[in-house]
Amino acid sequence: MKTNILVIGGTGKTGRRVITQLQNKGIEPRVGSRQGTPNFDWNNKDTWVKTLQGIEKMYVTYYPDLAVPGAKEAIQSLTYLAKELGVKKMVLLSGKGETEAEACEKIVMDSGMNYTIVRASWFNQNWSESFFLEPILSGEVALPMSNVLIPFVDANDIAEVAATVLLDDRFNGEIIEVTGPELITFKDIVNIISKTSKRNLNFYDITLEQYIDGMKKMQVPNDVVWLIEYLFSHVLTNPKNQLVAHDIERVLGRKAKTFLEYAQETAKTSIWNQVSVT
C-alpha cells in the first residue's frame, strides 16, 4: 500500500530499518535517497520538492551527522519547505549531547508542525556497519578514552521507536531519548566481540591525538576526521551521554537490547570473521 510517509536517509543505518518496520505494518513509504524515485540529495535542493510532494509525515536523518557544518541550514530549509508543501509531522533523528544537534531540534520544534525528536546514543552497529568495523577485522583495535561509559543503543531499537512515534500521535511534541540498557566501555565491547566471534582481539588505549593522526595517515577524508574528533572530544565526554534512558521501554513496552545480545546476533552473520582488506 502506497502511503504519504517519507523516510529521508532511507538507505542508511536507521532509515532502511524504519522502512522495514513500516513495510511489516503493510505501509510502503517513499524512500528519500539519491537512489530513490524521485531521488533526494541533501546537496541539491532542486530534488527536495518532488520528494516532498504529497507527503504528510516524514522521518529525517541527516548524513553524516547533525553536528557537521551546514547541517543546521539544511534542516532549516527542509523544515520550511516541508511545512509549505503541507507536511503535517516530522520525526527527526538527533544525537545525545550534541549542541549543534539541539539547534536543529529547535528548528523542528518551532516549525509549527507536529514533531517527535528521537535523540540517540552511539549505535551498536558502528562496530559492524561503520567506522569501528575495520579495526575489528584487523584484530588490532586502538581507541582513545577506553574507560568512558557509554549507553550504546541498537539501530533496530531506534528504528522501531522511530516507526512507532511516526505513526502514533500520542508521542507528538516529545523528545524520546534512546539508549541501551547499560553503560559500557570500548574495552568491554572489544572483549564481548572477541568472545562472541571467537577471535583474539588486541585492544590498545591511545590518546585522541594519536587516533586523529592515525586517521590522517590512512587518508580518511577531512570531514570524517573532523566529525570523529568532534564526537570524541565533545560528545563522548558529555555527562548527558553517560546516562541510561528508559524511553525505549516506555515506547515499545519492552527492554532495550543489550550489547551482548547485539554481539551474539551479529556474530552469527560472520561479519567479524571476514579477512581484513588492509
Side-chain angles (χ1 to χ4, degrees), residues 89-149:
K89 181 174 179 177
M90 182 169 167
V91 174
L92 177 70
L93 179 68
S94 185
K96 276 173 61 66
E98 295 183 20
T99 303
E100 290 82 357
E102 289 176 10
C104 294
E105 293 174 7
K106 191 172 190 308
I107 291 167
V108 175
M109 293 163 72
D110 291 346
S111 68
M113 287 188 289
N114 286 321
Y115 71 87
T116 307
I117 306 297
V118 178
R119 192 184 282 169
S121 184
W122 282 32
F123 297 5
N124 292 344
Q125 280 71 13
N126 287 341
W127 299 91
S128 54
E129 300 176 19
S130 193
F131 53 92
F132 291 144
L133 174 59
E134 187 55 43
I136 294 293
L137 295 181
S138 74
E140 308 292 324
V141 185
L143 287 168
M145 305 177 187
S146 63
N147 293 313
V148 174
L149 291 162

Side-chain angles (χ1 to χ4, degrees), residues 227-269:
L227 177 59
I228 298 299
E229 183 171 19
Y230 168 81
L231 292 173
F232 272 92
S233 60
H234 290 81
V235 179
L236 194 65
T237 54
N238 189 319
K240 292 180 183 178
N241 284 337
Q242 293 158 26
L243 297 170
V244 171
H246 300 283
D247 283 352
I248 287 176
E249 192 169 351
R250 179 167 69 89
V251 174
L252 302 181
R254 62 166 177 80
K255 292 189 179 300
K257 186 178 293 183
T258 66
F259 191 87
L260 177 59
E261 289 169 331
Y262 151 77
Q264 289 170 334
E265 290 174 7
T266 304
K268 292 175 184 175
T269 71

Side-chain angles (χ1 to χ4, degrees), residues 142-211:
L143 287 168
M145 305 177 187
S146 63
N147 293 313
V148 174
L149 291 162
I150 310 165
F152 270 89
V153 63
D154 198 84
N156 291 299
D157 284 350
I158 299 171
E160 190 173 343
V161 166
T164 299
V165 302
L166 189 62
L167 299 174
D168 191 338
D169 289 338
R170 289 180 299 173
F171 298 100
N172 287 2
E174 289 196 31
I175 296 175
I176 306 293
E177 296 211 339
V178 287
T179 75
E182 66 203 336
L183 294 168
I184 192 167
T185 68
F186 289 143
K187 201 176 293 185
D188 295 330
I189 282 170
V190 173
N191 284 335
I192 290 171
I193 294 175
S194 181
K195 289 175 183 175
T196 54
S197 64
K198 296 181 171 59
R199 294 182 57 215
N200 292 318
L201 301 176
N202 297 314
F203 183 86
Y204 306 94
D205 187 11
I206 59 174
T207 66
L208 180 57
E209 290 73 22
Q210 289 172 318
Y211 189 55

